[in-house]
Amino acid sequence: QSVLTQPPSASGTPGQRVTISCSGSSSNIGNNYVYWYQQFPGAAPKLLIYRNNQRPSGVPDRFSVSKSGTSASLAISGLRSEDEADYYCAAWDDSLSGEVFGGGTKLTVL
Amino acid sequence: QVQLVESGGGVVQPGRSLRLSCAASGFTFSTYGMHWVRQAPGKGLEWVAVISYDGSNKYYGDSVKGRFTISRDNSKKTLYLQMNNLRAEDTAVYYCAKDSTSLGYGSGTCFDYWGQGALVTVSS
């Protein structure tokens, strides 16, 4: 069971806006930055968004994040077929002295 | 460009040991924290361990504490993971990941580059 809670799946049609939630506690999301990673089948994860909506080079601004208290969410607008992947949230946990991940959300573009 | 190349994976019997290596290039290895993250077949990501830029600070996930040891050789630009007393549940792809900060732990922990992974299978 993951420390951060994500829905196992999400879906949308091309052009739609989809959000993926990530719920934690005061020792992780509530007190630290949340990061999001994207993983395609058979590939290594890659950093998608960091800190306050910062995106690595090459990540489109269709991806954005928000955070409120002990929860965070990833929003993907203008959904495209190439967005179909697994998405993970992560944060440092002060109580565990370690990084914790969400269980991952499999995004399907219908 | 940043490259992280893991090696040392394979099939090992329960209770035995294995050492993974991660060769780094394309950045100043000695100034960044480094991590190991694993992914069991069909499962999600699990953080394993972190080591600070100079090796002075290390943290481990609860499931590997006391069995795994993370280390680094900055002169060789290489990260290591010594895995002892392996269990079936340690079977996973092990990724080496670079942190965006020198410490590698705390609020700023961020895996900005990942290797391609090394498969470790623990089976009799």
Side-chain angles (χ1 to χ4, degrees):
Chain A
Q1 190 146 350
S2 303
V3 174
L4 304 183
T5 301
Q6 296 181 238
S9 64
S11 64
T13 56
Q16 268 191 328
R17 183 176 185 271
V18 171
T19 60
I20 297 172
S21 61
C22 176
S23 177
S25 68
S26 58
S27 64
N28 41 66
I29 293 178
N31 200 40
N32 296 304
Y33 288 111
V34 181
Y35 299 87
W36 291 86
Y37 300 90
Q38 178 187 56
Q39 185 180 34
F40 295 106
K46 74 167 192 175
L47 178 64
L48 187 65
I49 292 190
Y50 60 103
R51 299 221 171 181
N52 300 319
N53 269 315
Q54 304 297 307
R55 288 177 295 276
S57 174
V59 175
D61 58 7
R62 300 187 294 105
F63 294 87
S64 63
V65 298
S66 62
K67 175 181 156 180
S68 178
T70 59
S71 293
S73 63
L74 170 70
I76 309 171
S77 60
L79 197 62
R80 305 179 66 159
S81 58
E82 56 259 40
D83 298 331
E84 194 163 279
D86 293 326
Y87 293 86
Y88 294 89
C89 59
W92 184 261
D93 191 295
D94 297 325
S95 298
L96 298 175
S97 293
E99 186 78 354
V100 291
F101 283 97
T105 299
K106 183 177 184 61
L107 175 64
T108 301
V109 180
L110 302 169
Chain B
Q1 71 281 19
V2 172
Q3 279 200 311
L4 299 169
V5 180
E6 301 93 338
S7 61
V11 181
V12 61
Q13 293 179 327
R16 304 298 289 262
S17 299
L18 200 64
R19 188 178 83 158
L20 300 180
S21 299
C22 171
S25 62
F27 66 102
T28 307
F29 181 73
S30 61
T31 62
Y32 290 97
M34 295 293 297
H35 301 261
W36 289 100
V37 177
R38 70 183 181 182
Q39 186 169 35
K43 303 296 184 183
L45 301 173
E46 180 187 10
W47 175 78
V48 174
V50 61
I51 185 168
S52 60
Y53 70 104
D54 61 355
S56 62
N57 290 287
K58 305 173 186 180
Y59 293 96
Y60 297 90
D62 286 344
S63 60
V64 307
K65 208 170 291 185
R67 299 187 300 124
F68 289 13
T69 301
I70 189 171
S71 62
R72 65 191 297 160
D73 186 333
N74 285 343
S75 66
K76 295 182 177 178
K77 301 181 184 180
T78 302
L79 176 72
Y80 302 101
L81 184 67
Q82 177 66 42
M83 303 183 291
N84 297 333
N85 190 21
L86 282 160
R87 306 166 179 166
E89 53 265 36
D90 295 319
T91 294
V93 173
Y94 285 73
Y95 295 102
C96 160
K98 171 188 169 294
D99 198 277
S100 63
T101 69
S102 59
L103 292 180
Y105 54 88
S107 184
T109 301
C110 171
F111 315 113
D112 57 359
Y113 291 94
W114 299 67
Q116 86 288 350
L119 176 62
V120 173
T121 303
V122 184
S123 173
S124 54

